[in-house]
Amino acid sequence: MESGVLMLMALDRYVAIRYPLRYATILTNSIIAKAGFLTFLRGVILITPFTLLTKHLPYCKGNMISHTYCDHMSVAKLSCGNVKVNAIYGLMVALLIGGFDILCITVSYTMILRAVVSLSSAEARQKAFSTCTAHICAIVITYVPAFFTFFTHRFGGHTIPHSVHIFVANLYLLLPPTLNPIVYGIKTKQIQEGMLKLFLSQRPLKKEIKVNPNIMRGKHFHR
């Protein structure tokens, strides 16, 4: 689902830069809701077989996994049976989801680059590039640890220390939700303004008390 959201964001950026005046009519609330639902449905359909494949494996190595969460292959490796089908299906899902989404993102950003270069105003080009920088950072933060985790479980299990597997897998879960708000907060003006209003509204107001200088001096004050 996270990968699908990044793909939809790339398409959203293309429409926003290529057709800024028609953005609201092209990407209506209905279309956005349908795209989000299809992304959710795709994730459910492709991930459900993992549970079914793992459930039917015979287990004889206990129920403790050397991981910080129930990763599919970590659970499957507790089995005494053949986990080749699990590994192949996991690889197919990673390539299908990641490959398709990255292809769409690449095509979108190629069209975005062509649209930005064709802009006549240098200020408009700079603003468009700045808008896309945050999205590119989010893509790198998400896909690099994700693909490392998927492929090393299947091809680098004996050459890469297990502690490295766990460390990168935890980065895959923690980095995107931790850094994405920071990345978008730095690059998005509306978020910056919203955060400033939030923090400024919580600051206590200082009351200024003006004192009559005649009272302080006491020389023009009469009872």
Side-chain angles (χ1 to χ4, degrees):
M1 286 177 60
E2 189 172 19
S3 177
V5 169
L6 291 174
M7 176 193 66
L8 295 177
M9 287 170 59
L11 297 175
D12 170 84
R13 289 300 86 206
Y14 171 71
V15 175
I17 292 173
R18 186 70 179 84
Y19 307 103
L21 299 179
R22 296 170 54 197
Y23 176 82
T25 56
I26 296 174
L27 293 181
T28 61
N29 291 337
S30 175
I31 292 177
I32 293 172
K34 290 177 182 177
F37 177 74
L38 289 175
T39 302
F40 168 76
L41 192 62
R42 183 189 71 167
V44 171
I45 292 172
L46 291 175
I47 297 301
T48 300
F50 281 122
T51 306
L52 301 177
L53 288 171
T54 308
K55 182 181 178 181
H56 289 88
L57 289 172
Y59 294 93
C60 59
K61 298 180 182 179
N63 60 355
M64 297 290 292
I65 61 171
S66 55
H67 213 292
T68 52
Y69 61 92
C70 287
D71 177 71
H72 164 244
M73 285 307 297
S74 297
V75 176
K77 286 177 180 178
L78 293 176
S79 170
C80 305
N82 189 354
V83 297
K84 188 176 181 180
V85 176
N86 295 64
I88 292 174
Y89 182 74
L91 183 62
M92 288 176 55
V93 169
L95 293 176
L96 179 64
I97 293 179
F100 176 76
D101 291 350
I102 289 177
L103 177 64
C104 292
I105 290 170
T106 303
V107 172
S108 294
Y109 271 93
T110 302
M111 294 188 294
I112 286 172
L113 186 61
R114 292 177 58 185
V116 169
V117 171
S118 65
L119 294 174
S120 58
S121 171
E123 183 180 353
R125 287 197 297 269
Q126 183 179 359
K127 184 178 180 181
F129 278 124
S130 178
T131 303
C132 296
T133 303
H135 186 205
I136 293 172
C137 291
I139 292 170
V140 173
I141 291 169
T142 301
Y143 279 114
V144 171
F147 277 115
F148 180 88
T149 301
F150 267 89
F151 288 117
T152 52
H153 259 309
R154 290 155 181 84
F155 302 113
H158 301 291
T159 57
I160 299 175
H162 190 66
S163 58
V164 176
H165 279 285
I166 297 175
F167 178 72
V168 177
N170 289 334
L171 289 182
Y172 167 57
L173 288 185
L174 297 175
L175 269 185
T178 303
L179 294 183
N180 283 350
I182 299 174
V183 170
Y184 286 107
I186 292 173
K187 289 294 180 180
T188 307
K189 184 179 179 181
Q190 290 86 347
I191 295 178
Q192 292 176 6
E193 293 175 350
M195 292 300 293
L196 284 173
K197 288 180 181 178
L198 178 65
F199 285 113
L200 291 176
S201 63
Q202 293 179 354
R203 291 178 59 184
L205 298 174
K206 295 181 179 179
K207 295 182 179 181
E208 295 183 0
I209 301 175
K210 294 183 178 181
V211 180
N212 192 331
N214 294 329
I215 296 177
M216 295 297 294
R217 287 196 296 266
K219 75 189 195 176
H220 298 293
F221 179 74
H222 300 282
R223 292 188 183 183

